[in-house]
Amino acid sequence: MLGCECFCWGRRESEIFYPFEEPKPFSLPSPTPQWPPGQGFAKGKICLGEIEVLKITKFKSLWSCTLRGKAKGVTFYKPAEIPDGYFSLGHYCQPNDRPLRGYVLVAKDVSALKVSYTCGSISNSPALQKPLGYTLIWSPDSHQSGCGYMWLPKPPEGYKAMGFVLTGSPHEPDIEEVRCVRADLTESCETCEMILETDSSFSKSSLRVWNMRPRKRGMSAKGVCAGTFFCTTDHSSGDELNIGCLKNLDSMLCHMPNLDQIHALIEHYGPTVFFHPDETCLPSSVPWFFKNGALLYRNGKVKGERIDSRGSNLPSGGINDGEYWIDLPEEENEREFLKRGNIGSAVLYVHVKPALGGTFTDIVMWVFCPFNGPATIKASLMTIEMTRLGEHVGDWEHFTLRLSNFSGELWSVYFSEHSGGEWLDACNLEFIEGNKPIIYSSKHGHASFPHPGCYIQGSSKLGIGLRNDTAKSKYLLDSSTQYQILAAEYLGDGVVTEPEWLQYMREWGPTILYDGRSELDKIISHLPIFLRFSVEILFELFPTEIYGEEGPTGPKEKDNWDGDERC
């Protein structure tokens, strides 16, 4: 590996970078099992139509750099051990403060096999072509070997580059280094996580390096991540990316898991969800909620109607037009009983769907709680429990497992945290009983977090925000055994029967507008004088859903049912 303190050639000896230990590869705590038989899932390769791809997770390091005064460096890699007939599409980059955990796809042109695809006829032009050459995108001031040089492949007309190439010298890479992909086999992409950002102190221009993802994502999107990085300088904005991602033209999604494989995946990876030891609003099953007194209200009607355990008398389909909503029973003891939930009846409700063009499977797990408790606010050194702010009937929260369809390996988990959330790589998770991640559900709000502790949503600078307290307790759900598959549309009609209540598209709780001003006035009165400011400013520090506004909707009305997760 070539290493240097980034952009420091010719400076004092004390500033010369000494190579650090490379990140070690990550592996899950336990080996992955032999999955039940199926057509194409976990076979190691995926056919996208005219292109077949393999995932490469073994790399040869090319160059590492760190920025003066910063602990986090990055390393650039090229894929190693590429099988005969496959070609690299670009190089890989990741930070050094995490285990080596990434991939790039290598591609093989299979159009010559004259396979009949559902996408239509095959072009006369090959799917893959060598670049015509390379454009130097970035280089250090000192043109010495041992520093990184960023190159963009020059695609032939009608083709697109999929990634950048790095060399350790100013000599242009060999045209055999990568292949470009015919444009109709690609999709547009966008930058996401920034990996590296420099200033122009030690080179003619700054350097910015990002991860990439398809611009269109979700259950029906066809874009496939190649695993390569994007880079630009301060002379180009990167708004319109000059590289693309792959496109899956196999509409049959032959590499998604079948029903037996789905059950095996959940049984192997199903997380254990821990609720806070002081949780008073525990989960339940939906039928338990209905059987114990939940009522369906219709606009203009004073009395609510009892809901049968299957939800068969709920209005099905349509839109959330405000005509119907669900509420707790009128009698106070019955209301309080339902608010507490019933964890013994609770299950994780599972939606299985394609992700990233069918190269990954998302197993979305929904938790239902009959009631969302009041918020707890951190204000400076004080903790203030609200009396009603944040309460609502019918709380739906979720987390998502993303699994590689190349191997069946758990790749990452999405933690839904109120109005947003975050993806965490498997190397950053806690595990229990082999490869089962731990999910911590926050007290009263039921947002998902990867570790125990107190998470503040608001202003960390001011020390004011919504508290999300998480901890292990005796209240837990093991999703590997306590689950019900709601839907897996890609399997076709009749394979999974969706429950009747899932078709209810209206609100699972009444619309409530709390007197947020009076609640927040209480917070202001507790603040030190130097931290007191207007209620309007305080409102902006908290997620909007804690103020009530509209009753929550069910899983099928959420953006992520068809789309990708918010982050």
Side-chain angles (χ1 to χ4, degrees):
M1 176 182 69
L2 302 172
C4 67
E5 183 177 355
C6 200
F7 330 125
C8 293
W9 295 105
R11 302 186 65 84
R12 298 192 308 273
E13 184 177 354
S14 61
E15 292 180 338
I16 296 175
F17 170 78
Y18 293 94
F20 50 83
E21 186 177 0
E22 289 185 45
K24 296 292 192 297
F26 170 80
S27 59
L28 291 169
S30 298
T32 54
Q34 184 72 37
W35 306 113
Q39 185 173 2
F41 177 72
K43 300 296 186 183
K45 57 186 179 182
I46 292 178
C47 184
L48 305 179
E50 296 184 47
I51 294 175
E52 184 178 86
V53 291
L54 291 175
K55 179 192 283 187
I56 299 294
T57 56
K58 294 183 178 180
F59 299 101
K60 176 185 177 183
S61 56
L62 297 173
W63 180 58
S64 287
C65 66
T66 57
L67 300 179
R68 186 178 297 106
K70 296 186 178 181
K72 185 172 76 171
V74 300
T75 299
F76 294 84
Y77 302 85
K78 66 183 297 183
E81 301 181 17
I82 300 176
D84 291 342
Y86 291 86
F87 298 95
S88 172
L89 301 174
H91 290 173
Y92 172 72
C93 177
Q94 75 157 56
N96 293 325
D97 62 349
R98 67 183 69 169
L100 182 56
R101 173 71 167 171
Y103 70 91
V104 290
L105 299 184
V106 295
K108 178 181 182 179
D109 188 340
V110 294
S111 59
L113 300 177
K114 304 300 181 183
V115 178
S116 177
Y117 299 111
T118 56
C119 57
S121 61
I122 297 173
S123 169
N124 291 326
S125 301
L128 305 174
Q129 282 275 43
K130 300 174 186 178
L132 302 176
Y134 296 86
T135 301
L136 181 63
I137 300 299
W138 181 89
S139 65
D141 277 344
S142 178
H143 291 282
Q144 303 183 36
S145 294
C147 264
Y149 295 77
M150 306 290 178
W151 304 86
L152 175 65
K154 296 177 182 177
E157 185 176 355
Y159 289 77
K160 294 208 74 171
M162 295 288 103
F164 288 76
V165 173
L166 183 136
T167 63
S169 75
H171 301 296
E172 185 172 313
D174 194 299
I175 60 170
E176 295 287 348
E177 181 70 25
V178 294
R179 291 294 187 268
C180 300
V181 180
R182 206 174 69 230
D184 63 309
L185 305 179
T186 70
E187 289 271 86
S188 60
C189 58
E190 65 184 17
T191 59
C192 45
E193 174 195 15
M194 182 175 284
I195 308 173
L196 175 68
E197 182 177 20
T198 75
D199 58 29
S200 56
S201 302
F202 304 102
S203 60
K204 295 176 183 178
S205 59
S206 62
L207 174 66
R208 296 177 179 87
V209 180
W210 287 272
N211 281 326
M212 295 188 299
R213 63 188 181 188
R215 188 177 298 275
K216 294 180 180 179
R217 299 179 304 283
M219 188 161 57
S220 302
K222 300 181 183 296
V224 172
C225 285
T228 55
F229 64 86
F230 179 79
C231 72
T232 185
T233 68
D234 54 2
H235 299 305
S236 57
S237 67
D239 293 336
E240 292 293 330
L241 302 194
N242 47 12
I243 60 178
C245 65
L246 297 170
K247 184 177 185 178
N248 190 353
L249 294 175
D250 176 14
S251 61
M252 302 301 292
L253 295 176
C254 299
H255 305 278
M256 291 288 292
N258 61 30
L259 187 58
D260 289 339
Q261 291 166 337
I262 290 171
H263 284 296
L265 290 166
I266 296 173
E267 290 163 10
H268 184 75
Y269 292 119
T272 295
V273 184
F274 284 100
F275 295 85
H276 195 274
D278 298 328
E279 182 62 77
T280 57
C281 305
L282 289 165
S284 77
S285 70
V286 170
W288 181 91
F289 178 59
F290 292 161
K291 286 190 293 186
N292 284 277
L295 299 174
L296 174 66
Y297 283 84
R298 182 170 185 174
N299 194 22
K301 301 286 186 179
V302 177
K303 290 288 186 180
E305 175 187 353
R306 291 293 293 260
I307 306 169
D308 73 63
S309 62
R310 292 176 297 133
S312 59
N313 59 327
L314 292 171
S316 178
I319 60 173
N320 183 21
D321 52 13
E323 286 296 307
Y324 296 89
W325 63 90
I326 296 173
D327 203 351
L328 301 176
E330 295 180 0
E331 204 278 323
E332 186 63 26
N333 288 337
E334 292 182 356
R335 292 177 65 88
E336 292 302 316
F337 178 71
L338 247 65
K339 284 182 181 181
R340 292 194 293 270
N342 181 271
I343 197 167
S345 71
V347 297
L348 277 296
Y349 293 106
V350 177
H351 179 210
V352 187
K353 61 178 184 173
L356 300 177
T359 54
F360 287 83
T361 294
D362 277 1
I363 297 181
V364 188
M365 293 191 162
W366 292 92
V367 183
F368 175 73
C369 296
F371 198 73
N372 190 95
T376 300
I377 306 298
K378 182 182 184 300
S380 188
L381 299 178
M382 293 169 291
T383 295
I384 306 169
E385 294 188 1
M386 298 291 98
T387 53
R388 292 200 64 203
L389 193 68
E391 286 187 345
H392 59 78
V393 175
D395 191 27
W396 283 101
E397 298 290 347
H398 77 282
F399 51 88
T400 299
L401 311 182
R402 179 157 288 179
L403 308 168
S404 170
N405 288 347
F406 289 93
S407 61
E409 182 182 5
L410 175 65
W411 200 254
S412 56
V413 174
Y414 179 80
F415 294 83
S416 177
E417 301 162 3
H418 301 298
S419 55
E422 63 173 340
W423 284 103
L424 279 188
D425 188 272
C427 64
N428 296 314
L429 303 176
E430 291 183 23
F431 290 91
I432 188 171
E433 296 179 5
N435 293 334
K436 299 174 181 178
I438 295 177
I439 308 291
Y440 293 92
S441 179
S442 64
K443 178 185 173 185
H444 287 174
H446 311 125
S448 300
F449 294 92
H451 305 289
C454 177
Y455 297 82
I456 303 299
Q457 188 171 2
S459 172
S460 57
K461 183 178 180 180
L462 294 172
I464 299 174
L466 174 68
R467 283 184 65 114
N468 291 278
D469 292 288
T470 65
K472 284 185 178 179
S473 75
K474 63 180 180 181
Y475 305 122
L476 59 90
L477 276 177
D478 179 359
S479 68
S480 69
T481 58
Q482 296 167 276
Y483 70 92
Q484 177 187 340
I485 299 178
L486 290 182
E489 294 92 340
Y490 71 90
L491 292 176
D493 295 338
V495 179
V496 175
T497 302
E498 298 184 5
E500 293 177 84
W501 56 259
L502 185 61
Q503 318 311 320
Y504 173 68
M505 301 301 175
R506 274 78 172 191
E507 295 168 358
W508 286 70
T511 297
I512 301 174
L513 295 176
Y514 298 122
D515 185 1
R517 176 171 291 274
S518 63
E519 289 275 85
L520 293 180
D521 277 335
K522 298 176 185 177
I523 301 175
I524 293 176
S525 67
H526 285 84
L527 292 176
I529 293 176
F530 67 92
L531 277 180
R532 293 186 182 181
F533 37 76
S534 71
V535 171
E536 286 74 17
I537 294 175
L538 202 58
F539 261 108
E540 297 175 0
L541 298 179
F542 307 117
T544 56
E545 64 265 27
I546 75 165
Y547 302 119
E549 297 186 0
E550 295 181 352
T553 53
K556 260 196 171 178
E557 277 289 285
K558 307 296 187 184
D559 293 342
N560 72 306
W561 185 269
D562 295 315
D564 199 11
E565 302 290 359
R566 295 183 190 176
C567 56

